[in-house]
Amino acid sequence: MREKLTKYLKELSTNQNIGRQYLVEEYSMQDGHVYTDPLMEDSHEVVKGLIHKYKNRALIKVSYHCAAHCRFCTRIRQIGTDDGTLTDADIDSIINYLIAHPEIDDVILSGGDPFYTPHITEVLLSKLKDIESVKVLRIGTRLPVQSPVSFASKPILRLLELVKQVASEKPFFILIHIEHPDELTPEVLSLFKTLRQQHVTLLSQTVFLKGINDHVEPLFQLFRTLYHNGVVPYYLYHCDKVAGLENFVVPLEAEIEIATELHRRLSGIACPAFVIDVHNGYGKLPVPLAYFTADSTTAKDIEGNIITL
Ligand SMILES: *Cc1c(COP(=O)(O)O)cnc(C)c1O
Ligand code: SF4
């Protein structure tokens, strides 16, 4: 995966908390490294671009392209290549599969970044909206923190019009991938306001990253500020077990301690679920916080007092 940043990120990249996410440096593997697929996405790709791993949910990769390349990307094996770009025929196959599988009620557009290829996403969405059995739609994106100004471009404004129209019919979630409070610039916060006017619910996703956000204070500021700006923190992930990304992985015990302290300090709605997307298995499993004893007969309360249950 080659280095790729937006103009906006280049200006911010002297900030280590942002630069380290994108710049090729000691974190990165050498060229030619083969990255793995621990989430078994390739084996659950039932039609090109459609991953059907959980019974009622399906994830669509719109393309493998993003505005900027994150060094820790779970899909680093694919990002930046043209192989994943959906054609109109691919979209029709996906739509037919969804119609033939009415147990799928929740569809996630991902990639690559669906907002980076707004014309493809628009075609897809205009067909998805008419499938009766699809009750909920989501778009996962990092573009708001990679290039907030892009949301003023004509193709994205057009897509947002469609999103607003669909969102007034079906619950619609935009999941913003964000790692550090330094990414919440005035431009980004102002974009959240615009997005909230599209009838969508804004959620966030964050990955624990060594040397970037593996402390209580930045994550506390991140989730609190998101909450104050109308974004509900959804998931906080342990970094996926992709071969070659080991330098980004934070030890689980340290993460449990941080997640427990965050839970103590944040409003309930502002506190994301801490999960591990297990490799070679199924599920984003919730990681127990450091409250309960092993046999669940006693617990520490948030003040640290031992109580019996
Ligand atoms: C994460 C994921 C989903 C959605 O999971 P939720 O826990 O409902 O957010 C769906 N399909 C795939 C392949 C996923 O990785
Ligand atoms: S924006 Fe998302 S999909 Fe694209 S490189 Fe970053 S983490 Fe991967």
Side-chain angles (χ1 to χ4, degrees):
M1 192 178 73
R2 70 184 172 86
E3 184 176 290
K4 183 181 180 191
L5 284 87
T6 60
K7 184 165 169 283
Y8 168 84
L9 284 175
K10 274 188 193 135
E11 281 163 17
L12 294 175
S13 65
T14 49
N15 176 324
Q16 295 259 301
N17 298 317
I18 293 172
R20 277 188 184 147
Q21 297 186 36
Y22 298 100
L23 299 173
V24 176
E25 46 162 70
E26 76 271 20
Y27 276 101
S28 309
M29 297 300 289
Q30 301 303 314
D31 272 357
H33 179 82
V34 178
Y35 294 97
T36 51
D37 172 31
L39 303 184
M40 307 183 302
E41 293 192 337
D42 297 345
S43 58
H44 289 88
E45 193 162 338
V46 287
V47 186
K48 186 183 165 189
L50 182 76
I51 298 165
H52 189 192
K53 184 171 165 187
Y54 302 107
K55 196 169 188 327
N56 77 310
R57 282 155 284 172
L59 184 146
I60 301 172
K61 296 185 196 180
V62 176
S63 82
Y64 296 157
H65 291 292
C66 306
H69 292 166
C70 314
R71 306 310 314 167
F72 51 82
C73 180
T74 296
R75 303 191 184 125
I76 191 168
R77 69 189 186 283
Q78 299 170 323
I79 294 305
T81 69
D82 288 329
D83 312 343
T85 307
L86 298 182
T87 62
D88 286 350
D90 295 331
I91 291 176
D92 287 341
S93 307
I94 288 174
I95 298 297
N96 289 337
Y97 184 92
L98 293 172
I99 292 170
H101 290 81
E103 71 273 20
I104 299 172
D105 60 11
D106 186 355
V107 173
I108 302 143
L109 305 191
S110 181
D113 197 316
F115 278 106
Y116 188 64
T117 50
H119 44 292
I120 306 177
T121 304
E122 194 180 339
V123 175
L124 196 51
L125 204 52
S126 65
K127 299 189 175 184
L128 284 171
K129 75 174 183 355
D130 296 327
I131 304 179
E132 180 78 33
S133 48
V134 174
K135 306 293 185 194
V136 177
L137 288 159
R138 325 185 201 174
I139 295 182
T141 180
R142 270 214 102 177
L143 195 61
V145 299
Q146 292 179 336
S147 179
V149 69
S150 302
F151 284 79
S153 73
K154 276 222 176 79
I156 295 191
L157 286 174
R158 239 185 38 202
L159 175 57
L160 286 180
E161 255 323 294
L162 177 62
V163 166
K164 187 175 185 176
Q165 188 199 326
V166 179
S168 55
E169 299 294 328
K170 301 187 187 205
F172 203 121
F173 296 86
I174 294 186
L175 291 119
I176 300 159
H177 179 174
I178 181 160
E179 307 294 4
H180 194 279
D182 291 355
E183 292 173 282
L184 294 171
T185 61
E187 293 96 318
V188 172
L189 295 180
S190 143
L191 174 61
F192 289 167
K193 249 189 205 164
T194 310
L195 293 176
R196 287 173 59 213
Q197 286 155 13
Q198 317 305 314
H199 300 174
V200 296
T201 303
L202 298 182
L203 302 175
S204 72
Q205 319 197 71
T206 300
V207 186
F208 267 117
L209 295 170
K210 190 148 96 189
I212 295 172
N213 65 11
D214 54 341
H215 295 283
V216 172
E217 207 49 44
L219 290 177
F220 175 68
Q221 290 307 336
L222 174 63
F223 299 136
R224 198 171 76 120
T225 311
L226 286 169
Y227 183 45
H228 290 176
N229 287 275
V231 183
V232 178
Y234 177 44
Y235 276 144
L236 173 59
Y237 293 97
H238 181 69
C239 189
D240 290 331
K241 235 183 165 63
V242 178
L245 300 188
E246 292 83 358
N247 288 341
F248 284 108
V249 179
V250 182
L252 192 59
E253 309 79 70
E255 292 177 339
I256 291 172
E257 214 168 284
I258 294 166
T260 305
E261 183 59 23
L262 290 170
H263 175 266
R264 285 194 184 103
R265 288 168 63 176
L266 287 164
S267 301
I269 297 172
C271 191
F274 172 34
V275 296
I276 300 187
D277 204 339
V278 289
H279 68 286
N280 301 326
Y282 293 85
K284 294 176 172 70
L285 304 186
V287 182
L289 301 182
Y291 291 123
F292 285 48
T293 47
D295 61 358
S296 293
T297 54
T298 60
K300 273 190 204 155
D301 72 4
I302 63 164
E303 303 281 334
N305 305 311
I306 309 279
I307 48 141
T308 52
L309 292 163

